[in-house]
DNA sequence: CTTATAAAAGATATTTTTATCTTTTATAAG
DNA sequence: CTTATAAAAGATAAAAATATCTTTTATAAG
C-alpha cells in the first residue's frame, strides 16, 4: 500500500510523538531501533519530515526529535503519506492511466474510487494524536516493532 | 496502490478479453500499443499470466493471446493482483510490520484493516467479465490508454 | 521440408528505491 | 574557546523494479 519509506516515516512519527508525550527527546538511533528501521535511512526520512514541519529537531548535545502533543492533534496521517509518497494514492488511476477521470473512466474506475476515497478519508481523519490514544483502554501498547 | 507490472497486467487482460469477445486473437505488440505499455516488458507479464492460466497463448503464425468469455467470468481481479504483486496487499500491515496481527495490533490496525478488507473484497468480487460489461449502458468505452 | 511468424526463455541494461557512509553545521557544557 | 554530541547535507552503494535485447521453441502455410 505504502512505500517502505512511508512506513518507516509513519512509525517514526508515532514513536517520536509517544516519546515526547513521556517527556523525552529521542535520537535517530533510538527511533530506528524502536521502530525496527535502518538507521541512516530513517535519518533521511526524519530530515524530510522536519523540513516539512511534521516534527521538530534540535541539533547538538541533548538534541533529538520531538513533536508537541498539541501538534499531534493537527498532524494527519494523510500529510505524512503525501510528503513521502506523493498524492498518487489519492488521485491516481487504479490501472495506472495517466489521469483518473470520471468523464473518461477506466474499466475499474467506479469500484476503485470507492476504495481510494475511503483510504483518503481514513488518512485525513486520523491524527497522530488519535493513534497515541488507546481505543480499547488505557494500556494498549504502541506496537511498532515485529 | 499496485505495481506498474500489475497495472500493465490488468490492462492487458482486459484488452485480451475484449479482443477475444470480438473474435480476435491479439499479439504482444498490439496489446502493448493498445494499453500504452512497454512491449517487451508486457511480453514478460503476459508470459506469467499464461503460465498461471489466466489467459491462453498460441505460438506461431496466426498465434497470439486470448481468453474465452466463459473464463472471464471466473477470473477475478484478485487473482491477477496476487500473481503479479503477491498477497502483501491482502495481508500486510499498513505500517509495514512483519505480520499484521489482531492480537498484537499496530496503532493503525483497526482503521487499516477496514480499507484493506474492502479492497480485497472488491478485487475478489470483480471478474474480468464484469469489467467488459457496461455499467451504464451498452456503449461505455473500455478506456485503457491515456 | 522450408520459411515465416509469434510466443517463451534467457541474458543484459536502466531506473528507481532503499540503504549506507562521510563531511558539515549547530549547540550545549565545561 | 574547546570539546563532545547530534542532526543536516552530500556523496556513494546496493537492491529491487522496470525495461530491453537476443536466442530458442512451436506451429501454420506453402
Ligand atoms: S480512471 Fe481508472 S480509476 Fe479512475
Ligand atoms: S498490525 Fe498493522 S495493520 Fe494490522
Amino acid at each position: 500500500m505504502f512505500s517502505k519509506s512511508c512506513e518507516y516515516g509513519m512509525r517514526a512519527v508515532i514513536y517520536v510523538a509517544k516519546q515526547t508525550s513521556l517527556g523525552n527527546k529521542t535520537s535517530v538511533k533510538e527511533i530506528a531501533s524502536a521502530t525496527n528501521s535502518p538507521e541512516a535511512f530513517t535519518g533521511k526520512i526524519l530530515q524530510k519530515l522536519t523540513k516539512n514541519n511534521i516534527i521538530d529537531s534540535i541539533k547538538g548535545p541533548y538534541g533529538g526529535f520531538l513533536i508537541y502533543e498539541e501538534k499531534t492533534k493537527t498532524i494527519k496521517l494523510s500529510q505524512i503519506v503525501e510528503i513521502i509518497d506523493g498524492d498518487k494514492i489519492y488521485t491516481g488511476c487504479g490501472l495506472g492511466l495517466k489521469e483518473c477521470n470520471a468523464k473518461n473512466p477506466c474499466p475499474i474506475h467506479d469500484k476503485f474510487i470507492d476504495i481510494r476515497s475511503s483510504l483518503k478519508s481514513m488518512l485525513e481523519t486520523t491524527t497522530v494524536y488519535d493513534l497515541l490514544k488507546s481505543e480499547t483502554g488505557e494500556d494498549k501498547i504502541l506496537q511498532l516493532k515485529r
Side-chain angles (χ1 to χ4, degrees), chain A:
Chain A
M1 188 77 75
F2 309 112
S3 69
K4 281 195 178 188
S5 297
C6 190
E7 292 169 349
Y8 296 156
M10 291 188 286
R11 279 163 23 202
V13 171
I14 294 165
Y15 181 75
V16 170
K18 179 69 178 171
Q19 287 307 306
T20 303
S21 80
L22 296 173
N24 310 321
K25 283 196 287 297
T26 178
S27 66
V28 173
K29 184 164 210 156
E30 189 182 322
I31 296 165
S33 159
T35 61
N36 207 28
S37 309
E39 189 176 318
F41 194 59
T42 299
K44 289 295 182 190
I45 293 163
L46 289 165
Q47 248 178 64
K48 194 166 195 175
L49 292 168
T50 301
K51 271 186 203 154
N52 282 275
N53 203 33
I54 299 296
I55 54 179
D56 290 294
S57 78
I58 298 173
K59 277 187 179 180
Y62 298 87
F65 295 90
L66 70 161
I67 172 173
Y68 296 104
E69 177 161 299
E70 275 314 301
K71 197 169 188 183
T72 63
K73 294 181 181 170
T74 73
I75 301 293
K76 302 161 193 162
L77 278 185
S78 57
Q79 297 176 261
I80 302 173
V81 171
E82 182 153 9
I83 287 166
I84 301 178
D85 280 351
D87 69 352
K88 187 165 170 278
I89 200 142
Y90 304 127
T91 62
C93 167
L95 293 183
L97 301 179
K98 287 207 186 65
E99 6 129 51
C100 167
N101 185 340
K103 295 275 171 54
N104 207 11
C106 78
I108 71 168
H109 178 84
D110 293 348
K111 290 166 185 238
F112 183 73
I113 59 171
D114 281 352
I115 308 292
R116 202 185 61 189
S117 307
S118 314
L119 173 62
K120 183 163 189 274
S121 156
M122 182 275 272
L123 295 171
E124 285 175 347
T125 57
T126 305
T127 66
V128 174
Y129 182 83
D130 294 334
L131 300 178
L132 297 189
K133 296 296 136 194
S134 168
E135 292 174 21
T136 51
E138 292 305 306
D139 28 64
K140 190 178 174 191
I141 300 156
L142 271 183
Q143 193 72 39
L144 293 173
K145 199 167 181 174
R146 256 208 310 282

